[in-house]
Amino acid sequence: MITLLADGREDTIEGLVLPYGTAVLGWERKPHGWCRGEACLPAFRAAAAETGEGVDLVAFAGLLGRQTVVDAGEGVVAVGEPVLPAPDRAPEFGPLPGLRGTRVALVFWASWCGCRYDLPAWEALHRELGGYGFSVVSVSLDRDPGHAREWLEGLTHPAVVDADGRIAELYNVVNVPTVVWIEPDGRIARPQDTMTATDTFRSMNGLSAERATAALRRWVVEGESGADTRELRAPTEEERLARLHARVAAWLLRAGRDEAAGRHLARAAGLAPHDLAIRRGLMPLAGVDPFGEEYFRLREELQAAGIPIYRPLPDWQESA
C-alpha cells in the first residue's frame, strides 16, 4: 500500500498503477478521454499514461502538468499543483470563493515567525476597513495546526492553517510575513510582498509598518494598489519540486521516520535554498527550535550567499 498526498488530502492506493474504473486525481475515464468537471484530457493524449493494467499515476500527473515525488521505500507519493494558466488570478481555497466581490489581504504568517505578533493589528485593519468591502484572510504556514491555535483566539477574520503547504505552493510563498492583495474580481493586485502590520521586529527586517498599512488603506479606499503585477513571482520547476519533497518530509516526520525525512529535507534545501517556509517551517516538526541557533545559522548562510530573507516590493517603502 502507498500513501498518496495530493489536493490537500491523504489517501491510500494499492500501487502507482491505478486500475481502470478508479478516479485518478479527480479525473474519470470517459469514451473520449479523461474528464474532471467540464475539463477533459483527450483520449489520444491520455494514452501515454495508460497501460494494460491501468493508469500510471506519475505519468498521468505529468500530462496534467503536475510534478510528483515518489519514495517507494517509505511507501509515499506526493503530487503537486498544476501550473496556473493565468498567474495573475488568485488561486481559490477555503474562504476565498465566498469573498468574491471583496478586496482581500491574504496574510501569510506562522507561529515560528515573529510576525505572529502582528495578527491583532491585521485583525484591527480587518475591522476598520470592513465597511469599504475589505477582508483580511490569514494563512498560517504551521505544519502542526496546534502550534497556530493559540494565536488565532479572538480573531474574527477568516483564518486557515496550511499544514500540508499547498496554499504556500499555490501562491509561491517562500517566507513569512508575506502578503498578497486580491481584487474583488479575483485578480492579484499586489503579488508576494513582505509587509508588516507592526514595527515589533523593524530592527531585523528594516520595514515600516506605518508605510505598509498606509499603502493598504489607499488600495482599499481609493483602489490604488501601487504595484505592478509583473512583479508576480511564479515558481520555478525547482521550487515546485522542493515543496513536494517538503510535503513528503513533513509526512515522514509525523510518522517518526526522521532519517528518511532528513533525506527529503536535504533535497528540498538543495533545490530551493532560499525557501524559509520549508527550511525553517519544518524545524518544529523535526524537534528543532525555529528561533534558535539553527535558524541563525540558516540566516548567515543565506546572507553569505546574497539571498534575501525578506522580499518587499519597493513602491510603498519609497512613499512618504
Side-chain angles (χ1 to χ4, degrees):
M1 303 298 284
I2 297 174
T3 297
L4 170 63
L5 308 176
D7 300 321
R9 298 191 306 274
E10 183 176 316
D11 298 308
T12 301
I13 56 178
E14 292 188 4
L16 294 177
V17 176
L18 304 178
Y20 293 117
T22 303
V24 181
L25 301 174
W27 294 72
E28 297 181 347
R29 196 183 195 206
K30 307 287 185 181
H32 56 284
W34 287 77
C35 299
R36 183 175 185 173
E38 296 182 357
C40 287
L41 184 68
F44 74 89
R45 289 192 58 205
E50 295 180 337
T51 73
E53 292 74 35
V55 184
D56 184 309
L57 172 65
V58 173
F60 189 82
L63 294 176
L64 301 175
R66 304 179 68 169
Q67 293 178 315
T68 54
V69 166
V70 178
D71 190 326
E74 299 297 330
V76 60
V77 55
V79 180
E81 299 299 317
V83 175
L84 297 175
D88 64 336
R89 306 295 300 185
E92 293 191 340
F93 67 89
L96 279 193
L99 291 172
R100 186 60 63 88
T102 301
R103 283 194 167 93
V104 173
L106 197 56
V107 178
F108 290 88
W109 68 283
S111 70
W112 43 262
C113 169
C115 54
R116 66 191 188 274
Y117 293 112
D118 277 12
L119 281 176
W122 287 114
E123 169 71 10
L125 287 164
H126 171 76
R127 297 187 184 196
E128 172 195 338
L129 299 171
Y132 291 94
F134 169 76
S135 177
V136 166
V137 174
S138 61
V139 180
S140 163
L141 298 194
D142 284 283
R143 297 289 180 156
D144 182 341
H147 293 163
R149 192 169 296 122
E150 67 173 292
W151 304 98
L152 298 175
E153 293 180 4
L155 301 182
T156 64
H157 68 256
V160 298
V161 179
D162 185 26
D164 67 353
R166 180 171 178 256
I167 305 172
E169 180 181 350
L170 287 170
Y171 284 86
N172 194 28
V173 174
V174 299
N175 196 11
V176 286
T178 292
V179 182
V180 176
W181 296 357
I182 302 172
E183 294 285 13
D185 63 359
R187 288 182 301 106
I188 291 178
R190 174 178 291 272
Q192 309 95 326
D193 197 356
T194 303
M195 278 189 161
T196 59
T198 74
D199 286 331
T200 305
F201 293 95
R202 188 171 180 176
S203 61
M204 291 184 66
N205 57 43
L207 302 176
S208 166
E210 180 181 1
R211 289 185 176 182
T213 55
L216 177 71
R217 289 186 177 92
R218 280 196 301 274
W219 173 58
V220 172
V221 177
E222 303 173 15
E224 176 53 57
S225 71
D228 187 337
T229 54
R230 286 177 297 183
E231 297 282 352
L232 185 71
R233 292 191 294 271
T236 65
E237 294 292 305
E238 290 78 12
E239 287 174 320
R240 296 171 65 212
L241 194 58
R243 291 188 174 110
L244 285 186
H245 280 285
R247 190 169 301 165
V248 171
W251 183 83
L252 290 167
L253 286 168
R254 294 187 186 103
R257 305 181 201 175
D258 294 2
E259 183 177 349
R263 294 195 298 269
H264 288 279
L265 284 174
R267 180 65 174 142
L271 288 164
H274 59 285
D275 195 327
L276 284 134
I278 294 174
R279 301 186 67 188
R280 188 184 186 191
L282 285 172
M283 286 182 184
L285 278 186
V288 177
D289 182 0
F291 296 97
E293 293 181 4
E294 188 68 25
Y295 168 57
F296 285 98
R297 280 197 292 270
L298 176 56
R299 285 178 62 99
E300 290 174 3
E301 171 197 322
L302 297 181
Q303 289 169 348
I307 298 174
I309 293 174
Y310 304 108
R311 297 164 181 254
L313 299 179
D315 60 292
W316 58 268
Q317 298 178 80
E318 298 169 352
S319 61

